[in-house]
């Protein structure tokens, strides 16, 4: 075991997988020599050479389209998009090819590839550096979308993503890249894709969150303890295909449901989760399933971003509303 | 080096046969064995017959939207004939003759245009990637394939196809540049057939040639008479040699012409003149290659007649088989989206199956 941040966990996973499997390659803009703008790929080029860890031209379509070709021809590419806000030139590749290649070729060509992207707000960055766009990918058949919230899960999920025979979009919550450390095994293990985690058991309400908001919700839960509200917190971990069973079971127990996410509200992941809860646990509900999300307004630059940050106080306030409905 | 001698900036175009089939420069004539020449010609002829019939089937309401290849057979067969079995072919969507030469089954190619994904399921050893509809996006795949070849020290090159319209696309730029910066074993064939649906080549770029785009990437580019299979063959051979030596990608602009419509939904009489069509019909690649083959004593009018009849029968028989395949089963629609189907998708199928059962199906 070793103490690691989420960022350390990304780096150690790539290192471990590259040492175990020579087919694994890592690349992106500034992701080679420098080790990425966040240093997530630091040291890999020095250890595995310029062939397996490399800088690409500033061209997202080439990064993702190139990864498609590499996967077809025997490699396991782990492509880094520097910030999720810059993925859009490659959106064509992801939607029209990455998601469809296996189906198009009737299983002849799997694409065992991972697209890593730092995402989410709260780091006082420039425009296009703060969005949460997981639903844009979760909507597309053929993709898997994963978001870890802890160093342990980061390593286990990224390992699972690299070993997965299908393409995985791996969003990294950059706001908490270095926020805290956790004991993480230094040997290989996997956290299964598609499985949520009950972070904390409770009986009054089920709250689902992921990424940076898992910790914020934990803080909210602490605030509510003195008010005697018992919250069951679920870290979704995989956005698609997501774990309906864990959520349904929990809601059947608590009778109340809140989903908290940074992404915009309309057509966001919360809409999907609430629909599912209505379909699977309608008769168990004692309050309308509710979402606390980013506003349907363009996420502001840093001087306005504080309005967009979903604080523990807001989460606690929303939980109370649902519980007291 | 041939490619350097035919500098597109100096308006040089590589040709071996003129449009009538006479050899322009004997020094350029490639030494291709008779068997290969016959296979090349026969494939071009089969491509032509299959193409003509596909259009007829579509007009009869038996085939869905189809993208004809008529007039572009040399730009395809000349290239693939210069490859080995281990080399990759990354098509756009108008490369039926090239795919046939590489070993694809006509039935399968027809299945695609018949509306069945089975048409894109080429066996791995053929090394043909599926048809790519989003324009130019396949160039990046080809670059990735070539990257993997290089990293794994595989003695193979990748040929990617794109049209004149595709060269305007960002995907083209990103892919070629990525291949160039990594010195990848890639050959980019631009089938400049002069038209992107109704948009002429002159609207795509004010550059005089498409081959000259290579200059900005720091790689060689060459304009070749794309209706001359021998010229396409030697350009590809040389590009392949460069690629395998580690010298990086080459752009080959094949000057050709789409004698048919863009697809069966298109009416080219709206946007192009009879004179233009007539000019290019005289430059039909089959006319010149047939003369070359006859001059070499490898072909004759009798063989031609016999071969066309054989092709007609073969294509008709093949299409009947395709028509016999019918609709796709429900499970087929779902089972290839993921290696292991997720639970919710299973539930969706089961719900639908329940409905079907309730309908007595």
């Amino acid at each position: 075991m070793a103490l690691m941040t989420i960022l350390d966990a990304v780096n150690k996973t790539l290192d471990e997988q590259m040492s175990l499997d020579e087919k694994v390659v890592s690349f992106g803009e500034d992701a080679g020599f420098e080790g990425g703008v966040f240093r997530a790929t630091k040291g890999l080029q020095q250890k595995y050479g310029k062939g397996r860890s490399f800088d690409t031209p500033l061209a997202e379509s080439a990064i993702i389209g190139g990864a498609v070709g590499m996967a077809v021809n025997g490699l396991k590419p782990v492509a880094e998009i520097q910030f999720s806000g810059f993925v859009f030139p490659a959106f064509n590749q992801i939607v029209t090819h990455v998601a469809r290649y296996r189906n198009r070729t009737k299983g002849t060509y799997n694409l065992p590839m991972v697209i890593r992207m730092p995402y989410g707000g709260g780091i006082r960055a420039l425009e296009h550096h703060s969005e949460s766009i997981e639903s844009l990918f979760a909507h597309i058949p053929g993709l898997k979308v994963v978001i870890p919230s802890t160093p342990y899960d980061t390593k286990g999920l990224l390992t699972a993503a690299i070993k997965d025979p299908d393409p995985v979009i791996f969003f990294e919550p950059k706001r908490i890249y270095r926020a805290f450390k956790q004991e993480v095994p230094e040997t290989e293990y996997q956290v299964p894709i598609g499985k949520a985690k009950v972070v904390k058991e409770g009986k009054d309400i089920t709250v689902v969150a992921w990424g940076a908001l898992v910790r914020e919700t934990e803080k909210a839960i602490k605030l509510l303890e003195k008010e005697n509200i018992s919250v069951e917190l679920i870290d979704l971990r995989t956005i698609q295909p997501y774990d309906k069973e864990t959520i349904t079971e929990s809601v059947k127990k608590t009778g109340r449901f809140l989903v908290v996410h940074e992404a915009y509200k309309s057509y966001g992941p919360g809409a999907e989760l609430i629909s599912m809860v209505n379909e699977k646990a309608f008769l168990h509900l004692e309050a309308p399933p509710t979402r606390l999300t980013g506003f349907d307004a363009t996420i502001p630059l840093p001087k306005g971003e504080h309005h967009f940050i979903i604080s523990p106080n807001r989460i606690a306030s929303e939980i109370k509303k649902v519980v007291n409905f | 080096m041939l490619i350097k001698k035919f500098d597109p900036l100096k308006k040089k175009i590589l040709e071996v046969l003129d449009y009538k089939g006479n050899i322009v420069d004997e020094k350029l004539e490639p030494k291709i064995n008779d068997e290969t020449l016959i296979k090349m010609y026969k494939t071009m002829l089969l491509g032509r017959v299959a193409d003509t019939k596909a259009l007829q089937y579509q007009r009869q309401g038996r085939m869905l939207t189809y993208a004809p290849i008529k007039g572009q057979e040399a730009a395809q067969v000349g290239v693939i004939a210069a490859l080995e079995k281990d080399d990759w072919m990354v098509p756009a969507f108008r490369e039926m003759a090239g795919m046939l030469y590489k070993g694809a089954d006509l039935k399968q190619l027809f299945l695609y245009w018949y509306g069945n994904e089975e048409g894109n399921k080429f066996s791995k050893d053929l090394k043909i990637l599926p048809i790519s509809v989003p324009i130019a996006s396949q160039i990046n795949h080809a670059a990735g394939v070539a990257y993997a070849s290089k990293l794994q020290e595989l003695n193979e090159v990748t040929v990617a196809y794109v049209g004149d319209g595709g060269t305007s696309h960002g995907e083209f730029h990103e892919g070629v540049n990525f291949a160039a910066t990594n010195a990848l074993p890639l050959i980019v064939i631009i089938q400049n057939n002069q038209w992107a649906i109704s948009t002429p080549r002159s609207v795509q770029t004010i550059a005089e040639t498409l081959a000259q785009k290579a200059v900005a990437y720091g790689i060689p580019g060459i304009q070749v008479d794309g209706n001359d299979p021998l010229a396409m063959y030697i350009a590809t051979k040389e590009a392949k040699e460069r690629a395998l030596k580690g010298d990086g990608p080459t752009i080959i602009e094949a000057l050709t012409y789409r004698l048919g419509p863009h697809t069966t939904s298109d009416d080219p009489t709206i946007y192009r003149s009879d004179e233009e069509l007539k000019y290019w019909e005289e430059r039909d690649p089959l006319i010149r290659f047939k003369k070359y083959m006859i001059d070499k004593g490898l072909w004759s009018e009798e063989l031609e007649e016999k071969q066309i009849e054989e092709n007609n029968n073969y294509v008709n028989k093949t299409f009947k088989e395709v028509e016999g395949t019918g609709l796709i089963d429900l499970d087929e629609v779902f089972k290839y989206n993921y290696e292991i189907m997720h639970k919710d998708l299973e539930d969706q199928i089961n719900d639908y199956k329940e409905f079907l059962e309730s309908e007595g199906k």
Side-chain angles (χ1 to χ4, degrees):
Chain A
M1 301 287 259
L3 273 176
M4 292 184 202
T5 61
I6 286 178
L7 200 55
D8 296 332
V10 171
N11 185 264
K12 293 290 176 235
T13 309
L14 291 170
D15 188 356
E16 188 172 276
Q17 290 306 311
M18 288 177 83
S19 78
L20 293 172
D21 185 350
E22 61 176 15
K23 302 293 183 198
V24 178
V25 291
S26 160
F27 52 95
E29 294 158 10
D30 308 297
F33 180 77
E34 183 192 52
V37 293
F38 289 102
R39 311 290 179 263
T41 54
K42 191 180 165 194
L44 300 176
Q45 186 175 90
Q46 289 70 22
K47 200 162 168 186
Y48 301 103
K50 284 183 181 172
R52 292 183 60 204
S53 168
F54 59 100
D55 292 311
T56 65
L58 216 165
E60 287 82 8
S61 285
I63 293 171
I64 303 304
V68 170
M70 291 178 212
V72 160
N73 200 7
L75 297 180
K76 292 183 184 171
V78 184
E80 178 180 295
I81 296 292
Q82 199 161 72
F83 289 90
S84 65
F86 300 132
V87 72
F88 297 106
F91 202 57
N92 184 34
Q93 286 290 345
I94 296 173
V95 175
T96 69
H97 293 301
V98 174
R100 301 170 80 122
Y101 226 77
R102 183 171 204 284
N103 188 64
R104 180 180 298 148
T105 60
K106 292 215 146 194
T108 308
Y109 290 110
N110 277 57
L111 296 183
M113 57 183 279
V114 179
I115 301 171
R116 294 182 36 248
M117 290 188 262
Y119 91 105
I123 63 157
R124 295 185 293 281
L126 296 172
E127 195 179 359
H128 310 297
H129 290 67
S130 306
E131 287 76 5
S132 294
I133 52 171
E134 57 270 31
S135 61
L136 300 184
F137 301 93
H139 183 65
I140 306 297
L143 299 177
K144 296 181 180 179
V145 180
V146 171
I147 305 182
S149 72
T150 66
Y152 180 89
D153 281 355
T154 297
K155 187 156 182 273
L157 283 166
L158 185 53
T159 301
I162 292 170
K163 290 178 174 293
D164 199 289
D166 291 320
V168 178
I169 311 279
F170 195 86
F171 283 111
E172 296 166 7
K174 61 181 179 290
R175 177 178 163 194
I176 53 168
Y177 254 159
R178 300 184 180 92
F180 62 104
K181 289 187 177 177
Q182 196 179 23
E183 288 286 353
V184 176
E186 290 177 284
T187 50
E188 186 185 272
Y189 67 94
Q190 295 187 45
V191 169
I193 291 172
K195 193 88 193 86
K197 183 171 86 176
V198 179
V199 178
K200 190 196 152 294
E201 289 191 25
K203 57 181 178 36
D204 297 328
I205 181 172
T206 301
V207 179
V208 173
W210 52 90
L213 290 186
V214 173
R215 262 165 60 87
E216 301 308 287
T217 306
E218 285 181 290
K219 290 177 198 164
I221 291 170
K222 284 230 163 65
L223 295 173
L224 292 167
E225 269 168 12
K226 46 184 178 286
E227 299 186 38
N228 225 4
I229 294 173
S230 162
V231 178
E232 179 139 308
L233 172 60
I234 295 174
D235 179 354
L236 192 59
R237 300 199 294 196
T238 299
I239 309 302
Q240 180 70 1
Y242 68 98
D243 184 350
K244 295 182 172 63
E245 288 68 32
T246 299
I247 297 172
T248 309
E249 255 175 59
S250 173
V251 174
K252 283 180 178 171
K253 183 177 75 177
T254 63
R256 293 167 202 273
F257 179 74
L258 172 70
V259 49
V260 185
H261 64 63
E262 289 180 62
Y264 300 131
K265 180 175 187 178
S266 298
Y267 302 94
E272 164 61 30
L273 294 181
I274 288 173
S275 296
M276 189 280 292
V277 165
N278 278 329
E279 287 164 7
K280 305 254 182 200
F282 187 69
L283 294 175
H284 298 265
L285 288 170
E286 289 170 38
T290 304
R291 56 193 152 157
L292 174 60
T293 69
F295 301 113
D296 283 339
T298 302
I299 190 161
L301 291 177
K303 296 301 177 201
E305 205 185 5
H306 56 288
H307 295 299
F308 258 69
I309 299 293
I310 298 180
S311 65
N313 281 346
R314 264 187 83 200
I315 299 171
S317 159
E318 202 65 33
I319 288 174
K320 278 197 275 186
K321 272 194 219 162
V322 179
V323 169
N324 298 324
F325 175 77
Chain B
M1 200 173 86
L2 205 58
I3 288 175
K4 284 221 168 106
K5 262 174 63 188
F6 288 86
D7 184 346
L9 294 174
K10 292 183 182 143
K11 298 187 181 164
K12 293 279 181 66
I13 299 170
L14 173 65
E15 50 179 348
V16 178
L17 299 174
D18 68 15
Y19 74 95
K20 289 183 171 149
N22 300 309
I23 292 171
V24 177
D25 181 350
E26 276 175 9
K27 288 194 295 272
L28 288 176
E29 187 188 358
K31 292 181 187 62
I32 305 176
N33 66 47
D34 293 351
E35 197 190 332
T36 304
L37 282 170
I38 291 167
K39 185 181 171 191
M40 287 169 71
Y41 185 69
K42 279 186 168 177
T43 308
M44 285 170 63
L45 206 53
L46 175 60
R48 177 64 58 91
V49 172
D51 185 80
T52 310
K53 286 198 162 286
L55 266 160
Q56 288 167 1
Y57 301 143
Q58 198 278 340
R59 298 301 184 222
Q60 293 161 0
R62 298 161 69 193
M63 181 83 113
L64 298 172
T65 306
Y66 166 73
I69 61 162
K70 187 180 177 188
Q72 298 180 221
E73 296 88 348
Q76 300 171 18
V77 168
V79 171
I80 307 300
L83 302 182
E84 304 298 323
K85 200 171 174 296
D86 280 342
D87 297 325
W88 291 84
M89 177 184 187
V90 181
F93 55 85
R94 200 190 298 287
E95 283 81 28
M96 182 168 70
M99 290 159 112
L100 284 169
Y101 195 95
K102 191 108 175 53
D105 193 27
L106 181 64
K107 180 179 171 186
Q108 222 191 329
L109 299 174
F110 273 176
L111 266 173
Y112 180 79
W113 303 107
Y114 192 68
N116 188 329
E117 281 90 355
E118 199 67 39
N120 258 333
K121 188 185 190 245
F122 301 110
S123 106
K124 271 192 174 171
D125 57 357
L126 279 183
K127 301 184 110 170
I128 302 175
L129 291 196
I131 278 176
S132 176
V133 179
I135 300 301
S137 56
Q138 69 280 2
I139 302 295
N140 279 309
H141 307 162
V145 169
Y147 190 94
S149 304
K150 188 177 178 180
L151 183 67
Q152 297 173 107
E153 295 174 355
L154 303 170
N155 197 41
E156 60 190 26
V157 303
T158 298
V159 164
Y161 273 90
V162 68
D164 42 311
T167 63
S168 300
H169 209 290
E171 298 264 6
F172 173 86
H173 167 68
E174 293 196 19
V176 175
N177 188 50
F178 179 75
T181 55
N182 287 290
L184 300 181
L186 176 69
I187 304 168
V188 176
I189 308 290
I190 303 169
Q191 289 199 88
N192 174 4
N193 68 12
Q194 314 301 330
W195 291 92
I197 309 187
S198 69
T199 308
R201 150 67 185 81
S202 58
V203 173
Q204 299 297 340
T205 172
I206 60 162
E208 276 206 57
T209 72
L210 302 177
Q212 76 192 60
K213 292 188 176 226
V215 175
Y217 299 115
I219 62 172
I222 182 171
Q223 264 198 326
V224 180
D225 182 335
N227 287 357
D228 175 352
L230 302 182
M232 289 305 292
Y233 179 92
I234 55 176
T236 307
K237 275 275 180 209
E238 195 171 297
K240 181 175 165 166
E241 222 172 276
R242 285 192 72 247
L244 287 180
K245 273 198 301 192
D247 292 344
T250 303
I251 290 177
I252 298 174
E253 178 187 358
L255 293 162
T256 182
Y257 193 77
R258 189 190 79 214
L259 289 171
H262 164 69
T263 68
T264 42
S265 315
D266 174 42
D267 176 8
T269 62
I270 294 170
Y271 53 81
R272 64 187 190 191
S273 68
D274 291 346
E275 293 76 43
E276 182 180 301
L277 188 62
K278 190 166 168 290
Y279 173 87
W280 283 100
E281 275 171 349
E282 285 171 359
R283 280 152 186 80
D284 185 326
L286 281 162
I287 297 173
R288 78 185 72 176
F289 198 33
K290 181 176 159 192
K291 174 164 189 311
Y292 177 77
M293 294 294 283
I294 290 174
D295 287 352
K296 282 194 80 95
L298 295 172
W299 203 248
S300 66
E301 290 297 347
E302 289 110 64
L303 279 173
E304 175 94 357
E305 210 176 298
K306 211 175 118 237
Q307 190 63 46
I308 289 178
E309 200 194 324
E310 205 177 287
N311 286 351
N312 275 328
N313 293 336
Y314 171 65
V315 174
N316 281 334
K317 181 178 145 280
T318 304
F319 191 64
K320 284 228 169 68
E321 286 172 30
V322 167
E323 285 186 309
T325 58
L327 295 174
I328 298 166
D329 286 341
L330 173 62
D331 289 331
E332 287 283 300
V333 175
F334 288 84
K335 76 181 196 194
Y336 298 107
N337 280 271
Y338 296 92
E339 170 106 1
I340 296 167
M341 195 184 297
H342 61 80
K343 172 81 172 51
D344 190 49
L345 202 44
E346 270 174 28
D347 292 347
Q348 290 175 33
I349 301 173
N350 292 335
D351 285 351
Y352 180 55
K353 280 184 177 167
E354 255 177 51
F355 161 75
L356 290 177
E357 271 167 32
S358 75
E359 295 269 291
K361 284 171 190 160

